[in-house]
Amino acid sequence: MNLAMIGLGRMGANMAQRLNKGGHEVVGYDPSPDARNKFEAEGLTSFASLASVVGALPKPKILWLMVPAGKPVDETIAALTPLLTKGDVIIDGGNSFYKDTMARAEMLRAKGIAYVDCGTSGGIWGLDVGYGMMIGGDDTVVKSLTPIFEALAPAPDKGWGHVGPCGAGHFVKMVHNGIEYGLMQAYAEGFSVLKHKPDFKLDTHQVAEIWRYGTVIRSWLLDLAADALEKNPELDGIAPVVADSGEGRWTAFEAVELDVPAPIITLSLLERIRSREKESFGDKLLAALRNEFGGHAITKE
């Protein structure tokens, strides 16, 4: 199939390469000349404008967006819409908020343009091992795109699925990322406990390698932790600051709206927010309160 990848960051470019290797004709667009040059260095064709990349596609035109969630997606759709006609397809493979996806799908449906949301997981490793994809959209449209999803997935019959109407794909990916927050937090806390037991002189990389095989907590995230600890056992040079890109907090908010208790996901989100406090007024107040009611010592700055 012929399609265009819009947004040639590392993940978008890698996905285009995997599709190309799978026999699909993929062209790309990115506003960054550097991103386009890297894309072309892989033997693929890029264009310097949305109009030119759309013009290079046959009908129906299929455009896969890999751009940051929010305003960039809206701006890209606004720029694309005048260039497209009835029967063309836009796939949003990023981490858009599912309610935004539903609104965009409704707006494009009125113009005869199909909108498919594809929550995509796999990061920079997907080029080699494939991507997990959670897909929302019209049944007929999604079926027509099956060869694309089969080429990107770990196997044609594994790691991807049509989970529901427009918005469902991004909703499932949102919850996936919330779970990811909780898993990562559990690993981080466990290794921190190991590190704070100096009597045993534990080698955290060795422990990670043991846990990777045969244990009930083995996972790809643990594989990545083992790799990180092998390269940098003390994690030197890494600031204890953890960003969040939105999906964890969206999951927590959704859980509240649905009256579903999700304490692990919520607390893992709060820990990430906490990590970004350079100076915690709350912790200072806790120390002051302990001193006030019990005379406990205060550590001076």
Side-chain angles (χ1 to χ4, degrees), residues 93-208:
N95 285 322
S96 291
F97 183 47
Y98 79 97
K99 290 183 180 178
D100 293 340
T101 296
M102 295 170 69
R104 291 165 185 150
E106 189 65 27
M107 180 270 292
L108 290 168
R109 188 179 296 114
K111 302 176 184 295
I113 300 168
Y115 196 62
V116 172
D117 52 305
C118 180
T120 310
S121 183
I124 61 175
W125 301 90
L127 175 60
D128 297 319
V129 302
Y131 299 89
M133 292 167 291
M134 298 133 265
I135 301 154
D138 176 79
D139 288 347
T140 303
V141 176
V142 173
K143 284 179 182 176
S144 73
L145 301 170
T146 293
I148 294 174
F149 300 131
E150 289 180 339
L152 286 170
D157 60 343
K158 290 182 174 65
W160 75 278
H162 182 197
V163 298
C166 283
H170 282 150
F171 182 82
V172 174
K173 178 56 162 54
M174 176 190 76
V175 177
H176 162 284
N177 283 25
I179 293 170
E180 178 186 299
Y181 278 37
L183 291 171
M184 292 172 69
Q185 184 67 30
Y187 281 125
E189 291 178 8
F191 278 100
S192 181
V193 172
L194 296 177
K195 198 67 177 174
H196 283 79
K197 188 66 173 177
D199 299 0
F200 292 154
K201 297 182 173 60
L202 296 169
D203 180 340
T204 52
H205 172 249
Q206 179 198 33
V207 173

Side-chain angles (χ1 to χ4, degrees), residues 8 27-30 35-37 39-40 44-48 52-53:
L8 304 178
V27 293
Y29 163 76
D30 196 284
R36 296 197 301 271
N37 290 338
F39 189 72
E40 293 182 357
L44 299 170
T45 301
S46 73
F47 292 85
S52 56
V53 76

Side-chain angles (χ1 to χ4, degrees), residues 60-80:
K61 300 178 187 296
I62 304 171
L63 301 110
W64 188 302
L65 309 187
M66 288 302 289
V67 299
K71 188 177 179 181
V73 174
D74 288 323
E75 290 175 343
T76 304
I77 291 173
L80 283 173

